[in-house]
Amino acid sequence: MGFRPVHFEIHADDVTRAVEFYREALGWSFEDWSEYAGVPYFGATTGDDAMGINGAIMARRTPGGGAGAPVNGAVLTVGADDFDAVAERIIAAGGAVALPKHALPGMAWQGYFLDTEGNVFGVHQPDMNAK
């Protein structure tokens, strides 16, 4: 079984400014999901067709690299039916926990990992009973 990307996150110093940028530049629409995430977090719908994925813009939790930094990017998140089983596979393959599994209350389980190159990616298990 493969794990497909189901969501992306763009981290921003100024979430409102970033939302407006993507709304104006790319025509994305947004919904405030901050109550689920516990930080400013706006879900992004990137289009109406089945191609592509949707994501979010969220408050940056640590200082960004800024212009000229080697990486200023978005976080790829993959969907999972069993978060814990996927986490075990990631660790066994040489990955590491970046941010432990946590509940997005009433929505899902979410956590972040580092790959063998130090890149961060997320794992998302939908679960309406997450608390």
Side-chain angles (χ1 to χ4, degrees):
M1 173 181 166
F3 298 96
R4 297 187 67 198
V6 296
H7 182 76
F8 66 83
E9 292 173 341
I10 298 171
H11 296 239
D13 293 323
D14 183 328
V15 172
T16 302
R17 179 178 62 206
V19 165
E20 287 305 312
F21 170 80
Y22 285 98
R23 181 179 286 132
E24 291 178 24
L26 301 180
W28 294 358
S29 60
F30 294 90
E31 184 177 347
D32 188 349
W33 294 342
S34 302
E35 68 179 270
Y36 299 113
V39 297
Y41 195 99
F42 286 78
T45 300
T46 62
D48 295 332
D49 60 13
M51 297 297 295
I53 62 173
N54 295 320
I57 295 177
M58 67 179 291
R60 189 181 316 274
R61 295 181 182 208
T62 60
V71 175
N72 285 308
V75 174
L76 175 72
T77 296
V78 297
D81 292 332
D82 183 339
F83 183 99
D84 296 327
V86 174
E88 287 178 18
R89 291 173 57 127
I90 291 166
I91 300 304
V97 173
L99 184 64
K101 175 183 175 181
H102 57 281
L104 302 176
M107 182 180 179
W109 294 102
Q110 182 78 25
Y112 297 88
F113 297 87
L114 295 168
D115 67 13
T116 56
E117 311 311 306
N119 298 308
V120 175
F121 65 98
V123 173
H124 182 90
Q125 176 191 337
D127 182 351
M128 300 302 274
N129 297 313
K131 329 182 181 184

